Amino acid sequence: QLDGVYYAFPGYEGGTLGKHIYDLHHGKYGDLQICPESLHMLHVAAHINALRCRILPWLAEGRIVVLDRFYWSTWVYGLAYGASGAFLDGIINVERPFWQDHLVGATMILMQSAIPYYKADDVKSLKNWERIRALYEQCFQTQDAIISNRFIINNVTSVDAALASVVARLASVEGL
């Protein structure tokens, strides 16, 4: 319905750095010993690569690009799982300049769910979900002020209803 391109980070498309990082993160390469900080740095590299190799060419073609997450996720998930805020700020400051010129005129929609996503038998995963949700909201309120078109959509009903809300919000933005 948006006639755009969808891209999820770090990337699932074969032959991309993001796909390799995703596979690494999810254990596809076996029991590779990698510390969380190194893994977060690899995510930053995958984000920059996706922006330069995929997203910017799509934007240059005049396409709408729908991103499922971007550099905020590195910060949010890093903090939720115990990484140092100073470390995360440092690596995100490497990535942020690649985005800044491309965020002007962007529209940001934070999809929030009241229904927790967690493992039912794992109290810790529920706490992590609650923390992740709160950290995303904090980012939405405080980060990237150059994005003037910002909306929160409470995703509490059907996928079709959430999509209709997104389309309605985008239709309200001049120039789309």
Side-chain angles (χ1 to χ4, degrees):
Q1 289 187 14
L2 299 176
D3 192 30
V5 179
Y6 172 81
Y7 194 87
F9 282 102
Y12 307 107
E13 186 179 359
T16 65
L17 179 59
K19 174 67 170 149
H20 288 289
I21 303 309
Y22 178 86
D23 289 346
L24 175 67
H25 193 122
H26 291 89
K28 184 175 181 181
Y29 299 118
D31 193 20
L32 182 64
Q33 189 175 10
I34 184 166
C35 69
E37 292 82 4
S38 294
L39 190 57
H40 287 300
M41 291 179 77
L42 290 172
H43 277 277
V44 167
H47 295 174
I48 293 168
N49 194 67
L51 177 66
R52 299 287 302 267
C53 295
R54 295 284 192 258
I55 297 164
L56 290 181
W58 289 328
L59 291 173
E61 294 171 3
R63 298 174 85 177
I64 293 172
V65 179
V66 177
L67 299 179
D68 181 349
R69 307 177 193 185
F70 74 135
Y71 68 81
W72 289 4
S73 294
T74 303
W75 187 79
V76 165
Y77 281 88
L79 282 180
Y81 288 95
S84 154
F87 166 77
L88 293 168
D89 289 342
I91 65 170
I92 288 169
N93 283 335
V94 170
E95 182 175 352
R96 186 175 281 132
F98 287 89
W99 290 97
Q100 290 304 308
D101 292 342
H102 310 291
L103 295 177
V104 175
T107 298
M108 179 169 296
I109 297 174
L110 176 63
M111 300 292 291
Q112 285 190 327
S113 176
I115 302 167
Y117 176 77
Y118 67 99
K119 297 174 186 168
D121 60 344
D122 185 354
V123 173
K124 185 177 179 183
S125 73
L126 175 60
K127 289 184 190 297
N128 282 338
W129 178 85
E130 291 167 344
R131 178 136 166 85
I132 288 165
R133 186 177 191 274
L135 287 167
Y136 269 117
E137 188 165 339
Q138 179 183 342
C139 280
F140 186 83
Q141 301 299 334
T142 63
Q143 298 293 313
D144 302 310
I146 60 174
I147 302 174
S148 57
N149 303 315
R150 303 162 83 88
F151 307 101
I152 294 179
I153 294 178
N154 292 309
N155 186 15
V156 294
T157 58
S158 69
V159 172
D160 289 337
L163 178 59
S165 294
V166 169
V167 170
R169 289 296 190 157
L170 290 175
S172 73
V173 175
E174 190 174 326
L176 287 181

